[in-house]
Amino acid sequence: MDDRPLILTLRLDTASRERFDALRRTHFPPGRNRLAAHVTLFHALPAEHADAVRADLADVADLAPFAVEVAGLRPLGRGVAYVLRSPELDALRAELADRWRPWLTPQDAQRFSAHVTVQNKVSPAAARALLDELTAGFVPGTARAEGLDLWRYAGGPWEFDGGYGFRPPGAAAVTGS
């Protein structure tokens, strides 16, 4: 059995992913940026529950894609993140947390705050400078949530485990990236 923990992320539309990825490539320290930009919903789901996790994801993916507001920026101390807001995302994440509550790590059991990290692991001064720069030019926008992606932690980079595209109830399931 593969005992590596599972990570669940929200899949955003291609244009939003590309925009956040470009910011991450520009502002994340080279050599530390091993992942594409992402919205982590759960950081470490236990591998022994992988079948139940996959079944629950297939079940909850029966919804239409929805809007996610790119609402602002927030400091991370040693980095910067874009703040995301969506009642649909909050409800979806809460439903999954309720289903998985007995297995959740303390990090995954705490209050959820959707964001995309575009800088981390820098000095507080460098993080503050980027926050000021990005805030000065910030224009609120909207991304589109298109599905959920499940990953295996692989000691740094992640290994794709499966995709669960959102679709209206009754539509055929679409998996993949």
Side-chain angles (χ1 to χ4, degrees):
M1 178 178 101
D2 189 341
D3 64 352
R4 295 175 296 163
L6 299 164
I7 302 158
L8 183 65
T9 62
L10 179 71
R11 183 186 318 151
L12 297 176
D13 63 278
T14 301
S16 296
R17 281 193 323 260
E18 288 174 353
R19 175 177 167 238
F20 289 131
D21 276 341
L23 286 163
R24 191 172 168 101
R25 282 190 307 272
T26 300
H27 300 294
F28 218 93
R32 290 194 173 251
N33 188 16
R34 298 175 160 187
L35 303 169
H38 55 278
V39 181
T40 304
L41 303 182
F42 293 93
H43 298 83
L45 298 169
E48 62 266 22
H49 297 291
D51 290 341
V53 167
R54 289 185 197 104
D56 286 342
L57 295 178
D59 183 43
V60 301
D62 266 340
L63 60 118
F66 54 86
V68 177
E69 177 189 6
V70 181
L73 292 135
R74 83 172 204 211
L76 299 176
R78 295 174 119 359
V80 176
Y82 279 82
V83 175
L84 305 179
R85 292 197 181 119
S86 166
E88 294 90 348
L89 177 57
D90 291 343
L92 174 62
R93 205 286 185 174
E95 178 179 347
L96 291 170
D98 285 345
R99 291 181 187 213
W100 303 336
R101 185 132 344 263
W103 324 327
L104 295 182
T105 63
Q107 181 181 23
D108 284 337
Q110 69 188 6
R111 188 178 75 79
F112 176 64
S113 178
H115 64 279
V116 177
T117 301
V118 295
Q119 181 190 60
N120 207 358
K121 317 252 192 260
V122 299
S123 71
R128 186 66 186 159
L130 180 62
L131 179 66
D132 291 346
E133 175 188 330
L134 294 176
T135 299
F138 179 75
V139 177
T142 303
R144 189 174 75 182
E146 296 187 338
L148 301 169
D149 290 322
L150 189 62
W151 307 86
R152 290 267 183 189
Y153 181 70
W158 300 346
E159 182 180 297
F160 187 68
D161 187 88
Y164 303 82
F166 294 150
R167 60 203 179 275
V174 177
T175 60
S177 57

